[in-house]
Amino acid sequence: MSSTANSGKPLSNYGDAVDWLMSFADFERGSGPRRAMGDFALDRIRSILRRLGDPQHGRITIHIAGSKGKGSTAAMIESVLRAAGFRTGLFTSPHLHDFTERIRILGAPLPDFEFARLCEQLRHVIEAEQAEDPGHISTFEILTALSFHAFHANDVDVQIVEVGLGGRLDCTNVFSRTDAAVITSLSHEHTDILGDKITQIASEKAGIISAACQTVILAPQRYSEAADVVRNAADDVPVPLIDVGGDYLSEIAGVEPWGQWFRIGRRNPRPGEQPRAMHLLPLLGRHQIDNALTAIATIDSLNASGVVAVPSEALHKGLATVAWPARLESFELPETLTSNDPGGAPTVVIDGAHNAESVQRALDACREYFPHNQLHVIFGVLGDKALQDMANIIQTRSDRVYATTSDHPRARPPQQVAEAFADADWDGEIAVLDEPHAALSAAGQSAHAGDVILVLGSLSLAADARRLLSAPLETHIVRRAEDPTL
């Protein structure tokens, strides 16, 4: 641990707090020893929380695990509950720009001064824990404890908590009761820790299901064997399970400058529920509709059990006003980075896709929601991601790729990214750029009006690109909603 953490100097501002957090083992950014599944345990986080008075208890709790879509789903649930008048706390990871984004009260990141103040309070607890039981503690464990401490300090009614990694041994899995355990889309990820079989991954994610869980919400799944693992875990407890893919129907109804309209159908509506409804969602992509269905099913379940009372108006408003940046977010390229095409500037679309499945979704959505002549891809990945799988998919959609890197310790060098495109069957162009600004400039010089520049590969690259661009654009109109009043 660094001298900053041991100095006893008060954490008087956000910078001090971040320096303190980063003095611990941060496995997201690659500091500290590499972990395997056998290294994970809940004893340490439970001890820290006991010292804080177990602030994770005493409020409505929604716990969300999954491979894809858990952050978006969490944001939608929070937005709906806030629209219904509940005082909400949201914990997600990783952050896009600042650590404060991970802990939100009433939808807003903790103010810098509040973040530092709560870190200072927690610092004394961490020091006491380490004095009694020396050993490794991670930045994520501290952030998890910090989130519950913040929720208690701000007297929230309901907490929506996203799992960090896995589920069974994730340090968010410390509740005496959860009102809903949500399992979003499952796919291959962190195979070195969770296992290389989808059933192993599903088993770890399903570890948030216990006898203390009131309902399980299972999002639509690509892999039937993964869905079966979750169903069996719920049956073993037993606890009721809502199968979103079987119980809810959806279809896109139109796309406006402010988002996409979609219809839902409830196969077995409860008393008071509408069999059919129509909603507006600012987030684009068919996968976001699946996430919205999962959020709706969660709210339906909470309503049915009497845990909350969310009127349909709040459901509509919460979905229509949710914000979750760097997910198919569009920008106009600044003039300084363009070729000054008299027809106008190309559109830049930023997405945090970082595995093969999410890259495929981003490319599909780009074709559907951002009609274009040519697709230019700015691509950079972290070291533990399936680079070749993602590159193979990109090759089928684009013949101009700009390999770059992000400001992240685990980011692959751009030359290594470029080597993944050395397939003899691919005759596209590959450029190697040392940083995102150069990649955006190179793409801007090549792209014309009617083209799209898609930035993807990691959330850190998405964050770097967002810093270089102006305010997001409104969505291009693809087709108007047929009946937005339904």
Side-chain angles (χ1 to χ4, degrees):
M1 186 180 299
S2 73
S3 59
T4 301
N6 288 320
S7 67
K9 176 185 176 182
L11 307 178
S12 59
N13 56 52
Y14 174 74
D16 288 345
V18 170
D19 286 345
W20 175 68
L21 283 169
M22 298 305 292
S23 70
F24 296 90
D26 180 18
F27 300 105
E28 288 179 17
R29 296 183 66 83
S31 66
R34 182 66 177 165
R35 279 188 166 181
M37 180 53 73
D39 298 323
F40 286 79
L42 298 176
D43 294 347
R44 170 80 78 178
I45 185 65
R46 290 187 185 279
S47 177
I48 293 169
L49 291 172
R50 279 196 296 272
R51 293 177 186 275
L52 285 168
D54 283 321
Q56 75 273 27
H57 302 324
R59 65 189 62 87
I60 299 166
T61 299
I62 300 156
H63 200 191
I64 305 177
S67 303
K68 300 303 301 177
K70 57 184 186 289
S72 299
T73 303
M76 292 177 199
I77 293 170
E78 185 281 328
S79 185
V80 169
L81 290 171
R82 177 160 40 90
F86 290 92
R87 189 168 178 81
T88 57
L90 175 65
F91 178 53
T92 59
S93 61
H95 59 272
L96 191 60
H97 298 298
D98 298 301
F99 276 100
T100 56
E101 299 167 19
R102 299 185 183 216
I103 303 172
R104 295 174 181 262
I105 307 297
L106 286 172
L110 284 180
D112 287 358
F113 72 88
E114 176 79 353
F115 187 87
R117 185 179 69 83
L118 293 174
C119 279
E120 171 63 16
Q121 293 174 1
L122 186 59
R123 180 173 67 90
H124 301 291
V125 172
I126 300 300
E127 289 173 350
E129 176 73 20
Q130 292 198 305
E132 185 172 309
D133 183 18
H136 292 294
I137 188 169
S138 72
T139 299
F140 188 74
E141 286 172 312
I142 295 173
L143 284 165
T144 300
L146 183 67
S147 71
F148 295 133
H149 183 45
F151 295 163
H152 177 76
N154 285 275
D155 197 25
V156 305
D157 304 317
V158 55
Q159 58 192 4
I160 303 96
V161 179
E162 177 191 356
V163 164
L165 190 153
R168 181 175 62 92
L169 295 176
D170 185 77
C171 61
T172 63
N173 198 18
V174 289
F175 303 111
S176 60
R177 168 194 169 99
T178 56
D179 296 280
V182 182
I183 309 293
T184 64
S185 176
L186 299 172
S187 61
H188 292 89
E189 54 154 351
H190 300 294
T191 54
D192 55 332
I193 297 175
L194 302 179
D196 56 7
K197 296 180 180 178
I198 192 65
T199 51
Q200 294 174 307
I201 294 169
S203 180
E204 291 297 329
K205 304 288 185 179
I208 68 170
I209 300 170
S210 71
C213 173
Q214 303 306 299
T215 309
V216 176
I217 314 295
L218 177 62
Q221 298 294 325
R222 175 181 178 183
Y223 300 97
S224 60
E225 59 269 40
D228 288 342
V229 169
V230 178
R231 292 190 188 99
N232 290 337
D235 286 343
D236 289 345
V237 175
V239 60
L241 180 142
I242 296 173
D243 187 340
V244 178
D247 294 345
Y248 291 77
L249 303 171
S250 69
E251 63 175 350
I252 295 177
V255 181
E256 306 276 2
W258 44 85
Q260 60 180 336
W261 290 95
F262 67 100
R263 290 191 181 86
I264 70 162
R266 294 177 172 90
R267 290 186 185 273
N268 301 295
R270 303 180 182 92
E273 291 179 351
Q274 297 174 307
R276 297 177 69 249
M278 190 163 175
H279 296 279
L280 175 65
L281 188 67
L283 306 180
L284 299 180
R286 291 180 181 270
H287 60 287
Q288 293 292 8
I289 294 178
D290 282 347
N291 294 334
L293 284 181
T294 305
I296 291 168
T298 304
I299 297 299
D300 284 353
S301 172
L302 296 173
N303 273 337
S305 63
V307 173
V308 300
V310 177
S312 59
E313 294 81 3
L315 182 60
H316 283 278
K317 179 180 178 181
L319 291 175
T321 57
V322 66
W324 201 237
R327 278 74 178 178
L328 292 174
E329 189 177 21
S330 58
F331 298 80
E332 183 175 314
L333 198 64
E335 289 185 5
T336 55
L337 298 177
T338 69
S339 61
N340 295 315
D341 186 331
T347 296
V348 180
V349 178
I350 294 178
D351 193 86
H354 56 268
N355 68 14
E357 184 175 340
S358 59
V359 165
Q360 183 71 63
R361 285 177 169 181
L363 289 165
D364 289 344
C366 205
R367 182 164 58 184
E368 181 171 3
Y369 294 87
F370 300 94
H372 54 268
N373 297 325
Q374 190 173 52
L375 181 65
H376 302 246
V377 175
I378 296 176
F379 184 51
V381 302
L382 302 187
D384 61 342
K385 303 304 178 182
L387 167 59
Q388 192 62 58
D389 290 344
M390 290 187 276
N392 291 344
I393 294 169
I394 291 170
Q395 287 177 15
T396 67
R397 297 289 182 87
S398 176
D399 57 8
R400 287 179 181 268
V401 175
Y402 308 81
T404 189
T405 190
S406 64
D407 182 20
H408 192 288
R410 291 193 290 113
R412 290 180 187 254
Q415 185 58 51
Q416 190 179 107
V417 174
E419 289 169 0
F421 292 85
D423 190 319
D425 293 333
W426 187 64
D427 57 2
E429 298 178 19
I430 182 78
V432 179
L433 290 310
D434 288 337
E435 46 87 27
H437 184 276
L440 279 168
S441 180
Q445 294 301 312
S446 297
H448 301 284
D451 289 351
V452 164
I453 300 170
L454 175 62
V455 182
L456 81 173
S458 74
L459 200 62
S460 58
L461 179 61
D464 289 349
R466 282 184 96 247
R467 293 187 186 98
L468 299 169
L469 299 169
S470 56
L473 289 170
E474 290 184 330
T475 302
H476 291 197
I477 297 176
V478 177
R479 58 184 183 278
R480 290 195 173 276
E482 298 170 10
D483 184 9
T485 62
L486 178 65

